[in-house]
Amino acid sequence: MASKQQTIYFGRFIDTPTPTALRIRTGAILVNASDGTGKIEKADWTVTSANDATSKLGVEAPVVAAGDDGFFFPGFIDTHIHAPQYPNVGIFGKTTLLDWLTTYTFPVESSLGNPNSPMYTKTLPNGTSNPKQIDPLARAKTVYTRTLQRTLSHGTTTASYFATLSVAATNHLADLAHNIGQRALIGRVCMDEPATCPDYYRDSSATESLEASKACIAHCRKVDPTGLLVAPIITPRFAPSCTVESLRNLGQLASSEDVRVQTHLSENRNECALVKSLFPERESYTDVYDHAGLLTPKTILAHAIHLDDKEIETIAQRGAKISHCAASNSALGSGFCRVRTLLDRGVDVGLGTDVSGGHSPSILDAVRQTCFVSRHVGFLDGGDSRWNIGVEEGLWLATVGGSKVVGMEGSVGIFEEGAAWDALEIRLGADIGSEDEAEVGENGVSIFGWESWDDRVAKWVWNGDDRNVRRVWVGGRLVHERKS
Amino acid sequence: MASKQQTIYFGRFIDTPTPTALRIRTGAILVNASDGTGKIEKADWTVTSANDATSKLGVEAPVVAAGDDGFFFPGFIDTHIHAPQYPNVGIFGKTTLLDWLTTYTFPVESSLGNPNSPMYTKTLPNGTSNPKQIDPLARAKTVYTRTLQRTLSHGTTTASYFATLSVAATNHLADLAHNIGQRALIGRVCMDEPATCPDYYRDSSATESLEASKACIAHCRKVDPTGLLVAPIITPRFAPSCTVESLRNLGQLASSEDVRVQTHLSENRNECALVKSLFPERESYTDVYDHAGLLTPKTILAHAIHLDDKEIETIAQRGAKISHCAASNSALGSGFCRVRTLLDRGVDVGLGTDVSGGHSPSILDAVRQTCFVSRHVGFLDGGDSRWNIGVEEGLWLATVGGSKVVGMEGSVGIFEEGAAWDALEIRLGADIGSEDEAEVGENGVSIFGWESWDDRVAKWVWNGDDRNVRRVWVGGRLVHERKS
């Protein structure tokens, strides 16, 4: 039986069911979007042509073919990204975490929804200030639209977003993600500790943090009652910015509402010292969250750099997840996350761009930085290669690893029956077959023709960018297509 | 007086005369190409419009204006790149230096000029082999043309190239660089040690290394008698691949012919151990070269990672230069180069892509990796920020630092009267001024409008790519222009 809701995808499919090897298959996948979720209904790896596909799959559905010079790949999962910080990508100077927050981050975040933000008094290059009459919510729309489009253009089909303190702007992010069609966890940021948060960007009380979080949870559930595309996530910024009361409130809310949680953990040495001074009664940074009931199997902890053995053990026991943000950890001088240690101890790890501590909205770039940083960790261990994360494991972290971290294992990040069609069509460009071929290619990848597909994927990982992402689907819906 | 050889460049000019700050000027520069060298004749920083430029500079020359959304920047200098390895960018797997050479590098290098290269027996993805009838020199033309165009498209106006053992292919690279117009040092690679070099890719004797080097020197000097655009550089691959006799011969040749030298130094621990076993009579890796007379102020040493104090002292005393190749050192698990230590000890340092140990042909990418790795070196020192290389110093290394390394200080890499017009027009894209603006930009940089020019340069460094390089000039000649 034909159905208007069915689509056949034909071509080369590459994914990473294990961290050790690419799975490279050619054939066809049938996606059924009739219930709105766009799942893979059937796959046939004997199909050899588009015509063959309809007969072998037994449906008269339209066929979408990947180019011979490319392949389908699962959409990337960004397990840690600050949507309002996108305007600041690449701007961090010589700061480290704590001065970076006050110099760059709080001003840009507060400008979305708060007319008293320092952004509106900053002198612009032309000598003027940003006009105060800019509607802060219009600014949120501009910034969030750009963030969603940029991340989609780089192949991020699922993202776990930190928004800002503004309920209205955060709800707007949920609306935009739902309309544009990116799978998104939407977190209203909570910060109520007067000793560490600026007056212009702080909840007036723990109660305000709680009530505002509830309002955003309710909005997300209204936007998407299924919670499959857009879902709320409780977001205490990090321990230093929250009172004990607020952390406890949010832990209780996570439990009573059965909602995901995200926060930062042990990113920077000065931050760790600050936590120690602010929470002297707790035995570790991890214990601050654990004591508040914030460590659950639905919790995403970003960074997790300076952990002792006991903290890792606690995280593993609670089933909490870790978002590894290599670029940000380098840029802000935070330190090395021992990804291999975490994996060996049974902790699930995914990758995060951490825009704008991280400079790039691209998870492909995060794969590269993860590979490099893993070798640097090995340098500290006499060059031991056991620390190394290669292309295959990096891509596995970016897809399957990420799916575990956001609580969607088996549903996204892999091409299996029953998983959603969250996918990218990657094109690498034509072979350089002719000896006279002398044009610089249209993207960063150069294919000469002799490369295996493992080689080609490596070339994509190391020199690819948004130009290689031709089309992007989320739940079977086409949500991005390059014009050229 | 008007001259057909004069051109006025008008707009914003940014360069880095010091490592600590960007120099940002608006005005006009007059370039005179009448003697073929295309030097900056005059600059006027009071010019405020294209019309104003001709009257203030007193010439009726054509005016080339940089867009309001961009600036002119000195062309990048790649102090270490292997042109024949470009087809392998991104392909290195889990190898480190010595197995990487035999697995990936010798096969691809030998395929340019050598019909017996393993490349021609390798099985292709479609089950066939590369046809033996491919003319190896035609292959050299394809690969070298692509290498030159790619590096130019990323803004490399000067490159110090390792070629291969083939005299004919190496000479062809010199011809292509001259024709296409990239400033290039051309090195015919010497390797004659039977214990370490494969039979299919080795000089038959030290004499062959010497005579082949002489032939390539003669060819380069014929192609460009001035030596300003294309010049030869004596290139023993690295100590392990050369006999003592060959190193001594090449050191004498460098002295008698007054030619530059380039080689690798102390990249990988296994390599260092190999050098120790092959040259037991020398007190260090550096001493192997010094003893052969290969350390001169015209010598470029790539990597220089595992050096002791005395080796650094020797390098500083000889005035030899170092090419820092951060991406390659990470990819091949080589180690951390202490750039700050080298600079503090008075050694000149520039940046190298080290294609294809490094994955990217872009020096802008090398700036990024240099900044990150510098922070990682700081991690080993308790997070001390003195190791940090920021955007300004990274760009300084990529231009002024590079100019010192290739022996062209003051002639390239800076916008001063008397320097060659080796320049890039960088465009960042239009401001996101409208609240309704919702298109994903044409390149990786997002400008929102409130950023200072220091901010904008940081955004370019961190998220820019070849799409931002609109036009490239070498010695006043337009050598690359993007079509879109």
Side-chain angles (χ1 to χ4, degrees), chain B residues 367-406:
Chain B
V367 171
R368 290 191 280 268
Q369 299 307 326
T370 298
C371 290
F372 275 175
V373 163
S374 76
R375 282 162 175 75
H376 298 165
V377 172
F379 293 172
L380 308 186
D381 190 20
D384 193 322
S385 64
R386 83 176 190 89
W387 296 96
N388 282 14
I389 293 171
V391 163
E392 301 81 2
E393 191 171 13
L395 291 172
W396 175 81
L397 287 167
T399 53
V400 173
S403 75
K404 296 179 183 185
V405 170
V406 296

Side-chain angles (χ1 to χ4, degrees), chain B residues 351-366:
Chain B
L351 304 186
T353 59
D354 193 22
V355 163
S356 68
H359 64 281
S360 172
S362 160
I363 285 288
L364 195 69
D365 191 77

Side-chain angles (χ1 to χ4, degrees), chain A residues 87 146 149 437-439 483, chain B residues 146 149 437-439 483:
Chain A
R146 172 68 47 149
Q149 290 178 324
E437 201 282 327
E439 282 296 309
K483 282 170 193 143
Chain B
R146 173 67 47 149
Q149 290 177 324
E437 200 282 327
E439 283 295 311
K483 282 170 194 146

Side-chain angles (χ1 to χ4, degrees), chain A residues 381-440:
Chain A
D381 190 20
D384 192 323
S385 64
R386 82 176 192 90
W387 296 96
N388 281 14
I389 293 171
V391 162
E392 301 81 3
E393 191 171 13
L395 291 172
W396 175 82
L397 287 168
T399 53
V400 172
S403 75
K404 297 179 182 185
V405 170
V406 296
M408 302 179 191
E409 187 177 5
S411 300
V412 299
I414 195 158
F415 294 144
E416 296 282 9
E417 289 177 21
W421 181 247
D422 285 22
L424 319 177
E425 183 194 346
I426 302 298
R427 62 174 166 190
L428 299 181
D431 292 355
I432 300 176
S434 160
E435 299 298 338
D436 293 325
E437 201 282 327
E439 282 296 309
V440 169

Side-chain angles (χ1 to χ4, degrees), chain A residues 124-126 130, chain B residues 430-433 446-452 456 459:
Chain A
L124 293 178
N126 62 5
N130 263 315
Chain B
D431 292 354
I432 300 177
S446 286
I447 300 296
F448 282 75
W450 47 263
E451 300 92 337
S452 69
R456 289 171 200 225
K459 285 194 161 189

Side-chain angles (χ1 to χ4, degrees), chain A residues 65-144:
Chain A
D68 282 344
D69 64 336
F71 53 90
F72 295 110
F73 196 82
F76 290 128
I77 297 163
D78 188 344
T79 59
H80 184 67
I81 173 169
H82 295 264
Q85 296 175 18
Y86 179 68
N88 273 0
V89 281
I91 303 178
F92 53 87
K94 288 166 185 161
T95 57
T96 60
L97 179 64
L98 299 179
D99 54 329
W100 170 80
L101 284 170
T102 53
T103 307
Y104 299 110
T105 303
F106 294 154
V108 77
E109 284 193 13
S110 61
S111 74
L112 281 65
N114 179 351
N116 298 317
S117 164
M119 278 296 285
Y120 300 118
T121 53
K122 177 175 173 165
T123 303
L124 293 178
N126 62 5
T128 67
S129 299
N130 263 315
K132 281 213 184 197
Q133 63 269 32
I134 288 180
D135 176 354
L137 287 178
R139 185 174 168 86
K141 183 184 168 193
T142 299
V143 169
Y144 285 154

